[in-house]
Amino acid sequence: MSRLIEINSLQKRYGAKTVLENISLSFESGTIAGILGPNGSGKTSIMKILAGIIKDYDGEVLIDGSAPNEYTKSIVSYLPEKTYLAEGNKAKYALDFFEDFYTDFDRSKAEEMFRQFKLDPEQKIKSMSKGMQEKVQLILVMSRKTKVYLLDEPLGGLDPASRKAMLDIILNNYSEDAVVLLSTHLISDVERIFDRIIMVGDKKIIVDDSVDNIRQSTGKSVEELFEEVFKC
Amino acid sequence: MLTKLLKYEFRDTARTIPFLYLITLFFAAIAFIAGRLKISFITATSSVFLIIAGVSVFIVTFALVAIRFYRNLYSNEGYLMFTLPVKPHELLISKVIAGFCWITASLAVFAGALFEAMHRLGFGLNELAEIRNELAKAGLENAIYLIIPAVLFSILFFISQIYFAITVANMPCFRGIGVAASFIAFIVTYVALKIVETAAAIFIPLSVNINLIGRKASITTDSMFGYLLASIQGNEPVNITVGIGGYLIDIIIVCVLLYVTGRLMNRKVSLR
Amino acid sequence: MPKDFSSNAPIYVQIMNEVKLKIVSGGWEPGQRLQSVRELAVEFSVNPNTMQRALSELERDGLLYTERTAGRYVSQDKTKISKARDEMAEEYTDSYYNSMIRLGYGKEDIVGIVSGKSGIKRRKENEQVNRD
């Protein structure tokens, strides 16, 4: 076990609006953590900062000892909420692309998952449904054998059966000594796969505990606690 | 990694731009066949189309290069590009190289189309030869070759301005303006740099002095200002002074633009 | 339902119960080799650390054992398994009994309902026959 992600007094502002205020967090390898919070709570900002997409933040962010740079990008596998594959390309193009740029990308594994989910690499991205596009991206991201996985709302537009399939992809494929950070608002579906829960709200971290501790000490499931913490 | 970026840069752009060349080739072929068959009506029409096609190729290439830059980096695709394990300036360099190659190729196609069309319409090599003779009289027959680096450089200059403008327009503070931000940024940059360039051309004491009587050109440390002043006052100068400070400053501007663009990409831009 | 199966119980406890059920019901046979933790985690859709914890607890209870290199096995001790089965039965019974008391039934009513469970079915069948 080693400390893979270290965040100290992180602040992020967009113009005059503060979205993250004095956040400190660290993650050891071998953790699957859920980042939960209402829309606009800063979950996505944390993910983007770790992925190296947002560079103008205050505070210290270290991934395997380095601030986000081209090294950390080589060990971070990031799934944004957006569909980032060029629409006019076939899925196969994305396989080529990942194979070329990420040395830890296991193409045969990705192709096997394509078959398993009946996805056709020859199909163009734009002719796929939103759910198919999300599956393709998750397969690409999870076919890397790397240290950090950042999954921003990977279950968004999926039906319950597909959600289970996506969770299986995640559980089956992450490397054992990795950190998986998964943000979602569909808590009840995924609660069981987390060993740690971080609730972000109003720019701060409100809850940071293990799922079983939450259940033991509050007598509530994470979803019930979430609803209580963020009730309007 | 730069070679890999270039590979995909060319692989992506190669699906649209060469298509423009085919259209041009099509009109060239018609003009050629019509010329051979001596159908003057079609020859003339297709030659005009050929010129239009050539111009369009050139302009559309610019547009495609700009759109590619925006879409690949600042739309959703940016989430993929900016999380690649490459140095941020490698992204920029790969796009400058690819854009430069395509625009240069399109310019060549444009020039070829123009030449071919002019030829069909009755202008021939004679006219070009005459121009060259005129220059030779001034002892400048080799100066014509200076056009090539000058043109290539201005392509690079233009690309740097486009990329710079698009990048500035995608900084969080300007994003609210939308697509128009890129155009505004470009126009502002263009006008500002033109002013700087012109001022530099006039005031920097480095110029080519062309003696009209002796037909000799030499580099001097005069500025162009005196010459312009004299012209305005109505004197007939014996020497023409052409400031080259503008070109020097352009080289510096390109370096600065690319450096700043790279830095903004790395530090300031955050995706929607 | 026994209280351990409620949605608020720690997940490892829920998993322990799910695994226990497999063992005592014979779904997993005595001496059978278990899949890897990862595979089981996927099967139960649960974090591998949670799975690991549940398995270790069951190992402590003696329902599983580990051969140092070969992996993890279901216990071959049949008395232990049937004892675990009895314990689970007791838990279910307690839980059922308490719920029924809360519903307002007396002890005899409960006995009657349980013993007549198949009887209720038979009576309904008779009514059906009589009507025809």
Side-chain angles (χ1 to χ4, degrees):
Chain A
M1 290 254 250
S2 64
R3 210 163 252 201
L4 262 184
I5 298 179
E6 182 116 38
I7 299 174
N8 287 316
S9 350
L10 173 64
Q11 283 213 41
K12 169 68 195 157
R13 268 189 296 265
Y14 290 105
K17 198 176 139 228
T18 305
V19 277
L20 296 173
E21 203 172 83
N22 202 20
I23 299 239
S24 294
L25 277 173
S26 63
F27 297 94
E28 318 229 295
S29 56
T31 312
I32 304 182
I35 304 206
L36 315 176
N39 283 335
S41 59
K43 302 177 289 202
T44 297
S45 294
I46 295 178
M47 295 280 199
K48 280 183 175 179
I49 289 168
L50 289 170
I53 286 208
I54 294 178
K55 293 296 202 79
D56 52 338
Y57 55 83
D58 299 312
E60 186 185 45
V61 173
L62 297 175
I63 298 163
D64 199 18
S66 311
N69 60 10
E70 65 274 10
Y71 164 68
T72 69
K73 287 174 187 177
S74 75
I75 59 161
V76 170
S77 197
Y78 171 56
L79 178 76
E81 322 163 81
K82 310 280 169 87
T83 309
Y84 60 37
L85 300 174
E87 297 226 301
N89 290 327
K90 294 172 176 173
K92 187 171 163 290
Y93 175 97
L95 290 171
D96 293 345
F97 194 89
F98 268 66
E99 193 177 28
D100 263 342
F101 282 100
Y102 297 111
T103 46
D104 54 16
F105 182 72
D106 184 344
R107 183 178 185 129
S108 55
K109 193 167 163 183
E111 282 172 337
E112 198 191 305
M113 281 193 269
F114 265 71
R115 278 192 292 277
Q116 191 186 332
F117 290 96
K118 301 192 173 56
L119 295 164
D120 179 8
E122 295 296 330
Q123 193 179 347
K124 284 199 170 175
I125 300 294
K126 69 174 155 214
S127 70
M128 292 183 174
S129 70
K130 188 94 174 66
M132 286 164 86
Q133 292 176 355
E134 286 186 5
K135 273 185 203 153
V136 168
Q137 290 196 159
L138 186 69
I139 289 172
L140 291 170
V141 165
M142 293 312 298
S143 297
R144 289 181 56 193
K145 196 142 199 71
T146 190
K147 292 183 176 170
V148 178
Y149 299 87
L150 304 173
L151 312 175
D152 201 356
E153 291 283 356
L155 312 170
L158 295 177
D159 56 277
S162 304
R163 269 181 222 152
K164 164 87 175 101
M166 296 280 259
L167 288 183
D168 285 353
I169 294 181
I170 296 168
L171 281 174
N172 259 319
N173 294 293
Y174 84 97
S175 1
E176 221 122 330
D177 49 358
V179 168
V180 181
L181 301 188
L182 192 155
S183 87
T184 184
H185 60 275
L186 300 160
I187 303 167
S188 61
D189 291 332
V190 289
E191 190 172 339
R192 287 160 65 107
I193 78 160
F194 297 136
D195 36 25
R196 185 170 157 197
I197 295 289
I198 286 145
M199 291 192 194
V200 193
D202 197 26
K203 306 159 206 162
K204 290 189 278 286
I205 294 184
I206 299 177
V207 174
D208 178 359
D209 208 343
S210 79
V211 177
D212 280 348
N213 270 348
I214 288 174
R215 284 166 170 262
Q216 247 154 358
S217 63
T218 65
K220 294 188 177 75
S221 70
V222 171
E223 188 173 34
E224 286 164 341
L225 179 67
F226 183 83
E227 277 165 11
E228 190 183 289
V229 169
F230 294 110
K231 74 167 159 258
C232 315
Chain B
M1 280 300 181
L2 186 61
T3 42
K4 285 180 186 166
L5 285 172
L6 279 170
K7 172 179 146 190
Y8 282 91
E9 209 49 44
F10 279 108
R11 194 171 154 180
D12 289 349
T13 41
R15 280 186 304 186
T16 47
I17 296 174
F19 187 66
L20 301 171
Y21 302 160
L22 281 181
I23 297 173
T24 317
L25 197 66
F26 171 74
F27 285 115
I30 291 180
F32 178 75
I33 293 165
R36 269 297 156 91
L37 299 177
K38 300 207 175 4
I39 315 171
S40 62
F41 166 67
I42 300 178
T43 311
T45 324
S46 61
S47 296
V48 171
F49 274 119
L50 186 56
I51 293 174
I52 295 170
V55 175
S56 315
V57 164
F58 189 50
I59 295 169
V60 172
T61 305
F62 261 109
L64 287 176
V65 165
I67 291 169
R68 160 78 184 168
F69 185 77
Y70 165 76
R71 191 182 287 158
N72 197 231
L73 292 181
Y74 301 130
S75 75
N76 285 351
E77 288 174 37
Y79 281 87
L80 183 59
M81 300 311 290
F82 279 109
T83 50
L84 290 177
V86 299
K87 294 196 174 69
H89 68 258
E90 289 179 318
L91 286 176
L92 178 62
I93 290 172
S94 71
K95 297 217 178 311
V96 170
I97 292 175
F100 181 80
C101 290
W102 285 119
I103 291 172
T104 306
S106 293
L107 186 64
V109 168
F110 171 43
L114 193 65
F115 184 75
E116 172 68 15
M118 291 314 238
H119 182 58
R120 295 280 155 226
L121 290 173
F123 298 92
L125 289 167
N126 295 339
E127 282 77 6
L128 279 179
E130 255 170 54
I131 295 173
R132 193 152 186 270
N133 282 339
E134 279 301 309
L135 283 167
K137 278 185 207 156
L140 292 173
E141 72 259 51
N142 290 326
I144 204 164
Y145 298 114
L146 279 176
I147 290 175
I148 294 169
V151 166
L152 293 183
F153 179 75
S154 53
I155 291 175
L156 183 64
F157 191 38
F158 215 55
I159 291 176
S160 325
Q161 288 182 56
I162 291 175
Y163 288 177
F164 172 76
I166 295 175
T167 301
V168 167
N170 279 284
M171 281 162 60
C173 43
F174 295 124
R175 235 168 24 198
I177 308 172
V179 188
S182 295
F183 288 97
I184 296 169
F186 179 75
I187 290 165
V188 171
T189 315
Y190 184 81
V191 171
L193 292 180
K194 263 284 170 260
I195 293 170
V196 172
E197 188 191 305
T198 312
I202 295 175
F203 295 111
I204 290 183
L206 192 66
S207 57
V208 177
N209 199 313
I210 302 164
N211 188 310
L212 291 178
I213 300 166
R215 295 194 159 156
K216 267 190 183 162
S218 59
I219 292 180
T220 68
T221 51
D222 296 339
S223 82
M224 202 176 159
F225 185 65
Y227 165 70
L228 286 178
L229 206 63
S231 314
I232 292 165
Q233 284 163 349
N235 300 343
E236 282 283 324
V238 189
N239 295 330
I240 297 175
T241 309
V242 180
I244 53 176
Y247 300 106
L248 292 179
I249 217 80
D250 280 354
I251 294 172
I252 297 169
I253 289 174
V254 167
C255 297
V256 170
L257 278 179
L258 290 178
Y259 175 77
V260 173
T261 307
R263 235 186 126 67
L264 288 177
M265 279 168 67
N266 189 17
R267 298 254 113 225
K268 280 287 166 227
V269 172
S270 59
L271 301 170
R272 247 159 277 239
Chain C
M1 273 192 15
K3 65 177 193 316
D4 287 346
F5 275 81
S6 90
S7 71
N8 305 339
I11 291 163
Y12 83 95
V13 179
Q14 298 184 36
I15 299 300
M16 273 176 73
N17 275 311
E18 287 175 37
V19 172
K20 231 194 251 176
L21 201 62
K22 291 240 182 204
I23 296 172
V24 300
S25 67
W28 290 358
E29 281 165 19
Q32 183 185 325
R33 188 173 184 278
L34 264 59
Q35 292 155 281
S36 69
V37 172
R38 161 89 68 134
E39 285 163 334
L40 288 171
V42 173
E43 193 184 319
F44 287 83
S45 278
V46 72
N47 188 292
N49 293 332
T50 311
M51 195 74 223
Q52 178 65 46
R53 183 164 178 198
L55 295 179
S56 317
E57 295 279 334
L58 287 171
E59 219 164 89
R60 233 177 37 198
D61 294 350
L63 287 175
L64 299 173
Y65 68 94
T66 304
E67 298 253 292
R68 212 173 304 153
T69 49
R72 205 177 250 116
Y73 296 85
V74 177
S75 167
Q76 299 186 354
D77 185 343
K78 293 202 173 127
T79 48
K80 219 169 231 164
I81 293 175
S82 76
K83 201 178 137 223
R85 184 164 170 234
D86 293 345
E87 276 167 16
M88 280 187 97
E90 209 172 303
E91 265 178 49
Y92 279 112
T93 312
D94 282 353
S95 160
Y96 170 72
Y97 180 77
N98 293 334
S99 306
M100 291 302 277
I101 295 289
R102 248 180 283 144
L103 281 174
Y105 288 98
K107 201 169 179 178
E108 280 80 44
D109 300 330
I110 298 171
V111 172
I113 289 167
V114 172
S115 62
K117 197 171 182 223
S118 46
I120 293 170
K121 201 173 153 201
R122 216 174 300 130
R123 197 168 352 132
K124 281 199 177 147
E125 277 165 6
N126 288 343
E127 282 166 10
Q128 195 76 26
V129 171
N130 292 346
R131 234 181 284 145
D132 295 341

